[in-house]
Amino acid sequence: MMAQYLALREEAGDALLFYRMGDFFELFFDDARAAAQILDIALTTRGEHNGQPIPMCGVPVHSAEGYLARLIKAGCRVAIAEQVETPDEAKARAKREGTPSSKALVGRAIVRLVTAGTLTEEALLNPRRANVLVALAELRGTIGIAACDVSTGAMVLEECAPAMLGAALARITPSEVVVPEDWETEALGATDEAILRPRSTFASDSGAERLKAVHGVATLDAFGEFTRAMLAAAAGLIAYLDHAGRGKLPLLLPPVLRAGAAGMAMDEATRASLEILESTTGARAGSLIGAVDRCITGAGSRLLAEDLSAPLLDRAAIEARLAMVQFWRDRPIERAQLRDALRAIPDLGRALGRVVAGRGSPRDLGQLRDGLTEAMRLHHWLSGAPDKPALLDEVLTRLIGHGALTDLFSRALVPSPPTERGNGGYIADGYDAGLDELRATSGDARRAIAAMEARYREDTGIATLKIRHNGVLGYFIEVAARHADRLMAPDSSFTHRQTMKDAVRFNSLKLHEEAGRIAEAGGHALAAEEAHFEELVGEVVAAREAIAATAAALARIDVAAAIAERAGEGDWCRPEIAEDTALAITGGRHPVVEAALAKAGDRFVANDCTLGTANRLWLIGGPNMGGKSTFLRQNALIVLLAQAGCFVPATSARIGLVDRLFSRVGAADNLARGRSTFMVEMVETAAILAQTTQRSFVILDEVGRGTSTYDGLALAWAVAEAVHSRIACRCLFATHYHELARLAETCEALSLHHVRAREWQGDLVLLHELAEGPADRSYGLAVARLAGVPAAVVERAKSVLEKLEATREATGGIAAGLGDLPLFAALRPEPAPASAEQQLAEVLRAADLDALTPREALDLLYEWKRGLPAVR
């Protein structure tokens, strides 16, 4: 056995090996040590290997999914080694091979590699988050990206420049990344934890052929014009799935081509700063989606996350989504009825994924039947609704067309199919006459055994006699130990089987015969049900694309109704989408902060934001805790929500389409990459200055902090000038450098604003209101007092501040002279230094020849000669 294990252990590579032994998955050696620590289970030993005890631990097969989930969460990969033959088959094989049958070892093989990106089991997945596997391939300076949610089969192909790979991965948020073994991580992106695979599996020709084979087509033209980099990534993705499934691919839907300019661009820092899908703690609570999501179904939540991660740039597509939200917003009664109906619909996409991957259960087939039936009912109800928007009309057409399939499943399956198919009982009575007959035979035999038990009690006079069953002995007669002698008599017709502590077990010829009838009929019945199960799975596989389209349509309806529900709760408005570069938000609020304040019983203070040609850059001052960062983020989130097709937390909003959204708000160090907080801030600022266009929207908070006052002010000044005059995009710029207010004298599209605060009887009162004009002071000492800084320290700081302010008044402050600095002078190229000949000519022009003495003239000639370049 150990030789078989070691061979499988080598095949498993860096994955833990789950080695099936009976009703347990066993782990040995280092695998056992690692798993025991992660799972907090007992580590034991079994036998010896090379004179040393073999560490071992195990988990029950019936509860393996829970343990797998914990191992995957801990970053492990697990190879499943199952028994691939029965003991009888092993003995027959041994006989053919000429070895003693007593030494026959049941054959085992790795049937699957369980990894973070290849999960399909319901217990291992978050129902409200997509589980995406990504493969990357670099070809001639372009990165091909193949992304697939294996649980639903959705597959997207795209490409990007190496510098944009980080932003693309931040948008996709993959659970696992696969790259060629020669991948240059430093040059091509942050994929340090990627799975390395042979370079030969990332061939573009192979990708095209594999896609054609999977989808049974002669050409990929109907799916889109895929580049060679995309096809190379697709090849690597499919090869890895084939490797993980040991030759069996999961559900793969036709690939969708994603154009590079299809959505609003956001880099990693912006997504982290805005906390779109998770907060800074890594939790869903406190994130944008946590505050917005009111979806009933898991599929709806996953689609909403996708919408928020990739806001649209197509005005028509945005308006189509908004119109669908408006439809449900205007119909609260119908919306409530719809949401009640959606509660009865299971997760069709993931049930379909499990069935097609060969990991489905009778319950999954029942979910498909019930979900498709409810989809058709929704279609019949909504198709007659007046004034339906175009997008709703479109998705309704995808809810029908499954009548034959649902009718078949309704006849074939019991109302509530079980999760396990090994025990049968999921094919409905009346579907197969032969199966019904087998069940009747088994039932008759069981009734005969019940009658036998009553007869044996009467014949023996033992009222506690019972006929029981287990997986080892089958059917047996059990009596208490004190009554055993009656059945031990030679003429009793009972045969002793087993003696327990308090009971003795027997058999009888009649019981054996009836048990045989039950086993034979039951075995045939199970085989018949298994055959029907495979037939039903075949029907699902044939209709997989239509079923997936229905699942996507239900998710889109759920998202629209959920956004309408959230808009109704928070009095959100429908944004107006424009093609210009305006941004006019009245009564804007931060959705996450407002929800948190509402739970505490407090009110959020709404603020307006109007950016246009004459004032596209707002310079915002004011105290810490005054709400500057919240104001910046709320406007960025309103833009994001609007272009995702959602209503927004504002009284009104007019959004000129934004092609790129950048946020440099808050920063943390990155010690793993050797970057300080200030370095991280500068890297993010550099990316903004390099990638921003005139249609972009940028929010900048306290640029220049983390270094000396002079350096920080100089950087903030130069960045503000660049955003205003070179890029000319919409920007909110929060700062504590009051000296920057002087920029308003030279930057015609810059306007000054501040968050209001007042001191009352020595205490700071933060009003969280935005007002026009520069900030008068930062109230830093008052905030320090609020934070609990000792009074003595605050008083000492106050005296130091008074001296610094007195010096500033005397000297003009650190910004003295900046008012005379030519606007954007730093961005003009410096003049080239004069050549030696030019310098000589200047000196000659300046010389007064009439005033020179002969000696001075000779000295001047020698000086000119020394200044001339050498002749070569």
Side-chain angles (χ1 to χ4, degrees), residues 155-234:
M155 187 176 186
V156 178
L157 302 183
E158 59 182 293
E159 66 179 14
C160 69
M164 301 305 296
L165 177 59
L169 292 178
R171 167 175 49 81
I172 299 170
T173 60
S175 299
E176 189 175 11
V177 178
V178 181
V179 298
E181 56 196 354
D182 57 352
W183 184 262
E184 299 178 10
T185 55
E186 291 300 323
L188 299 178
T191 55
D192 301 332
E193 298 181 0
I195 305 299
L196 302 179
R197 296 286 298 154
R199 159 59 71 178
S200 59
T201 62
F202 288 82
S204 58
D205 292 342
S206 172
E209 293 305 316
R210 281 181 174 271
L211 286 172
K212 291 176 189 176
V214 167
H215 301 292
V217 296
T219 176
L220 300 177
D221 293 347
F223 302 145
E225 295 183 8
F226 303 116
T227 65
R228 300 194 73 81
M230 296 178 192
L231 293 174

Side-chain angles (χ1 to χ4, degrees), residues 18-30:
F18 268 32
Y19 184 80
R20 178 73 178 266
M21 295 180 66
D23 293 333
F24 278 79
F25 283 121
E26 304 288 2
L27 298 97
F28 300 97
F29 301 107
D30 290 342

Side-chain angles (χ1 to χ4, degrees), residues 632-663:
L632 266 59
R633 284 190 175 103
Q634 80 186 34
N635 287 290
L637 291 177
I638 287 173
V639 169
L640 187 152
L641 285 169
Q643 292 190 211
C646 302
F647 279 31
V648 299
T651 304
S652 67
R654 185 176 188 274
I655 311 295
L657 285 172
V658 171
D659 64 348
R660 295 168 182 262
L661 180 62
F662 289 99
S663 169

Side-chain angles (χ1 to χ4, degrees), residues 532-576:
H532 288 310
F533 181 85
E534 295 300 332
E535 291 171 1
L536 297 176
V537 167
E539 295 291 337
V540 171
V541 171
R544 61 187 181 278
E545 292 183 20
I547 297 173
T550 297
L554 289 169
R556 177 54 66 196
I557 292 173
D558 188 17
V559 168
I563 297 301
E565 185 77 11
R566 185 65 183 91
E569 291 176 8
D571 194 23
W572 292 11
C573 74
R574 175 176 178 172
E576 178 187 350

